[in-house]
Amino acid sequence: MSKKKGLSLEEKRTRMMEIFFETKDVFQLKDIEKIAPKTKGIAPMTVKDVLQSLVDDNMVDCERVGTSNYYWAFPSKALHARKHKLEELQTQSSQAKQRKISVQKAVEKAKVGRQDTKERSSLLKELNALREERTRLQAELEKYRECDPEVVEEMRKSNVIAKEAVSRWTDNIFSIKSWTKKKFSFDDSRINKAFGIPEDFDYMD
């Protein structure tokens, strides 16, 4: 058997308003908490929140007397609240329509000069062709950067630095080989084999 579906917030609000309209009486919260579940099927735990939502929306009046809050609502009050809400919504609707008209005018204004004329189509085609040509030329320029004097000079400097670094490492390797020969009395071939050094290892020209 499927579980009975509970009341929605709007249904609870409607039923609670019926309590005020049918009785035309003034209640304290404790009174509503007893009546609402029994006569309108509103869950006891939600009565206070539902009542407060009606007060917040000016559907129900609330007045504190001494230490107690008293609640009441008459059909004329509800009618006034509904009229006020309707006027508010109508104002919002009118403002939205005005914004829509303003946006439409702005769109129409933005379209001026952008009509799909033959001249515009021709100019757009030419613009795209020029963009493609620029991309092609930039790619071709990159290929010839190696011939740029500044690039060649940078490469030359880099080569000199690299060659100096290679020479330093070559010095280091020969120093290690020399130290190994003296320390362990190894010959060149044995040292080369142990350290993976090519037999023709030497300084770069």
Side-chain angles (χ1 to χ4, degrees):
M1 187 175 178
S2 61
K3 189 176 179 180
K4 186 178 179 181
K5 185 180 178 181
L7 298 173
S8 67
L9 175 59
E10 199 54 43
E11 287 173 330
K12 292 175 184 176
R13 284 162 55 93
T14 299
R15 293 191 182 193
M16 188 168 290
M17 289 303 297
E18 289 174 356
I19 296 174
F20 291 104
F21 293 161
E22 290 168 0
T23 62
K24 297 181 178 63
D25 205 348
V26 178
F27 301 95
Q28 288 184 270
L29 175 60
K30 61 182 180 180
D31 300 324
I32 298 293
E33 287 177 330
K34 290 178 182 177
I35 297 169
K38 187 175 180 180
T39 64
K40 299 299 179 181
I42 301 173
M45 296 296 291
T46 65
V47 170
K48 185 176 180 180
D49 291 336
V50 174
L51 181 59
Q52 186 59 48
S53 75
L54 292 171
V55 172
D56 293 340
D57 288 346
N58 293 316
M59 299 288 286
V60 172
D61 287 311
C62 176
E63 187 72 35
R64 189 171 187 82
V65 179
T67 58
S68 302
N69 287 330
Y70 290 87
Y71 301 88
W72 71 93
F74 302 114
S76 58
K77 169 73 175 180
L79 178 61
H80 177 73
R82 288 195 183 94
K83 285 179 68 176
H84 177 73
K85 187 66 175 179
L86 179 61
E87 289 171 359
E88 185 180 318
L89 291 172
Q90 286 174 334
T91 300
Q92 291 176 0
S93 176
S94 177
Q95 291 173 345
K97 286 178 181 178
Q98 288 298 322
R99 285 198 299 272
K100 181 181 177 182
I101 291 171
S102 297
V103 170
Q104 286 176 333
K105 287 181 178 178
V107 170
E108 291 301 320
K109 187 177 179 181
K111 285 181 179 179
V112 174
R114 297 188 181 185
Q115 293 85 352
D116 289 329
T117 61
K118 287 184 178 180
E119 183 182 3
R120 184 170 184 271
S121 297
S122 176
L123 288 172
L124 284 174
K125 190 178 293 184
E126 185 178 351
L127 177 62
N128 289 330
L130 288 171
R131 284 174 176 167
E132 291 175 3
E133 178 69 7
R134 184 185 65 176
T135 302
R136 185 185 66 77
L137 290 173
Q138 285 177 334
E140 191 170 350
L141 184 61
E142 282 297 314
K143 289 194 296 185
Y144 290 101
R145 281 191 76 250
E146 294 180 1
C147 299
D148 188 312
E150 292 182 3
V151 175
V152 171
E153 180 61 21
E154 285 296 321
M155 291 174 64
R156 188 188 67 76
K157 290 179 181 178
S158 297
N159 287 339
V160 170
I161 294 171
K163 189 173 181 180
E164 290 175 352
V166 170
S167 295
R168 283 197 303 274
W169 277 104
T170 303
D171 285 339
N172 292 339
I173 292 172
F174 277 124
S175 294
I176 292 172
K177 287 182 67 173
S178 177
W179 178 84
T180 305
K181 283 181 183 179
K182 292 177 182 178
K183 183 73 175 177
F184 302 104
S185 300
F186 290 165
D187 56 23
D188 281 345
S189 60
R190 188 172 180 183
I191 294 172
N192 289 342
K193 185 176 181 180
F195 291 98
I197 302 171
E199 292 293 334
D200 58 351
F201 178 78
D202 204 345
Y203 288 97
M204 291 181 64
D205 294 331

